[in-house]
């Protein structure tokens, strides 16, 4: 079954759509918490969650003895950018981003599978020219040593977009960075959060999990709302060599 078919099959069931709605309302819930909201057994709810996870619509993360479930908007963004955007006006993209305008959370989890090697994926995350191909034309600059600083910035721009420190570097498996958005005074005042990039080889592809955490409860959604577009662009570029047109790339002037 192809990627698009798996997504549409997963959301065809009303119970699974309700589960996504529950995670939309409150991310990072346990099976028990989710099952308490449905008139069915925990086993039945677990089966529905398994199908959503298989389609990439739900990502999981263990915290101690608990397994937490997170809504992963990346597949929805991919379906939108590759299909819906062909037939609709630009306002449709705003509907996909509505989640980010309505809800903030202390932790956001994004997961995507990319047909590439861990080494190639690591290079795409850390190389300035490659990064600009999918992050709206912005380059990343760092010497990529533990404790070093990094900066994300458009060429010639008067100020950076993001600044931070490389807290943990384990190529090509894991990168943990502090994250301070500084593109305007309002987001600068939000303070510093953290982003983790985890790369896991799976057959002939890689599972990339990006966790943006240590966010304040009332965090500006712009701090994390661009991740689905960035990761969709990363997947498209690595797999096809093409740059994906997203609202972010249109807003910030396209590719480098």
């Amino acid at each position: 079954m192809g990627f698009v078919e798996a997504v549409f099959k997963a959301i065809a069931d009303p119970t699974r759509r309700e589960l996504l709605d529950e995670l939309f309302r409150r991310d990072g819930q346990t099976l028990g918490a989710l099952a308490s909201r449905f008139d069915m057994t925990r086993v039945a709810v677990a089966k529905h969650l398994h199908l959503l996870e298989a389609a990439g619509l739900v990502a999981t993360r263990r915290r101690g003895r608990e397994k937490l479930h997170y809504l992963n908007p990346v597949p929805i963004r991919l379906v939108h950018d590759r299909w819906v955007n062909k037939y609709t006006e630009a306002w449709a993209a705003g509907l996909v981003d509505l989640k980010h305008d309505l809800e903030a959370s202390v932790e956001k989890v994004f997961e995507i599978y990319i047909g590439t090697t861990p080494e190639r994926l690591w290079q795409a995350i850390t190389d300035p020219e490659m990064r600009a191909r999918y992050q709206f034309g912005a380059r990343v600059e760092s010497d990529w040593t533990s404790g070093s600083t990094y900066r994300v910035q458009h060429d010639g721009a008067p100020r950076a977009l993001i600044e931070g420190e490389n807290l943990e570097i384990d190529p090509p498996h894991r990168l943990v960075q502090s994250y301070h958005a500084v593109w305007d005074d309002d987001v600068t005042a939000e303070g510093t959060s953290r982003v983790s990039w985890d790369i896991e080889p799976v057959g002939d592809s890689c599972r990339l999990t990006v966790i943006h955490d240590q966010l304040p409860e009332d965090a500006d959604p712009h701090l994390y709302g661009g991740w689905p577009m960035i990761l969709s662009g990363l997947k498209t570029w690595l797999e096809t060599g093409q740059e994906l047109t997203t609202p972010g790339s249109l807003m910030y002037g396209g590719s480098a």
Side-chain angles (χ1 to χ4, degrees), residues 7-179:
V7 171
F8 282 123
K9 180 178 179 181
I11 62 177
D13 183 88
T15 298
R16 292 195 283 274
R17 293 197 298 272
E18 288 184 45
L19 281 166
L20 293 177
D21 285 340
E22 285 295 332
L23 294 176
F24 172 91
R25 284 187 279 270
R26 185 166 68 86
D27 235 352
Q29 296 193 53
T30 63
L31 170 61
L34 289 167
S36 68
R37 294 171 174 81
F38 292 85
D39 186 20
M40 61 179 67
T41 66
R42 285 171 58 102
V43 172
V45 173
K47 289 181 178 179
H48 283 298
L49 286 170
H50 177 73
L51 288 171
L52 290 170
E53 188 174 352
L57 292 163
V58 168
T60 61
R61 184 185 181 194
R62 288 204 172 272
R63 180 179 294 164
R65 300 174 64 182
E66 293 183 325
K67 182 179 181 181
L68 303 181
H69 299 80
Y70 295 85
L71 177 63
N72 180 29
V74 176
I76 298 173
R77 166 56 64 183
L78 282 167
V79 169
H80 170 269
D81 288 337
R82 293 187 181 182
W83 296 94
V84 179
N85 198 44
K86 295 180 181 178
Y87 309 109
T88 62
E89 298 297 332
W91 60 264
L95 299 179
V96 180
D97 292 330
L98 185 60
K99 170 182 168 56
H100 307 296
D101 294 330
L102 295 178
E103 180 190 43
S105 175
V106 296
E107 181 177 56
K108 288 302 199 183
V109 179
F110 306 93
E111 183 178 272
I112 192 167
Y113 286 82
I114 303 175
T116 190
T117 64
E119 292 78 13
R120 179 70 169 164
L121 181 50
W122 180 271
Q123 182 184 14
I125 293 168
T126 58
D127 181 84
E129 299 298 332
M130 295 176 71
R131 187 74 168 259
R133 302 295 293 271
Y134 61 87
Q135 193 162 350
F136 319 140
R139 297 162 54 92
V140 62
E141 299 287 352
S142 178
D143 66 12
W144 303 114
T145 57
S146 182
S148 63
T149 61
Y150 76 95
R151 172 180 292 225
V152 178
Q153 187 170 4
H154 286 104
D155 283 338
R159 66 192 297 172
L161 299 173
I162 303 160
E163 297 176 336
E165 180 182 341
N166 296 308
L167 305 174
E168 181 180 342
I169 297 183
D170 179 21
H173 308 294
R174 179 170 167 82
L175 173 64
V176 182
Q177 302 172 299
S178 63
Y179 180 102

Side-chain angles (χ1 to χ4, degrees), residues 178-193:
S178 63
Y179 180 102
H180 189 197
V182 293
W183 58 76
D184 64 35
D185 293 340
D186 289 338
V187 297
T188 300
E190 295 278 335
T192 301
S193 52

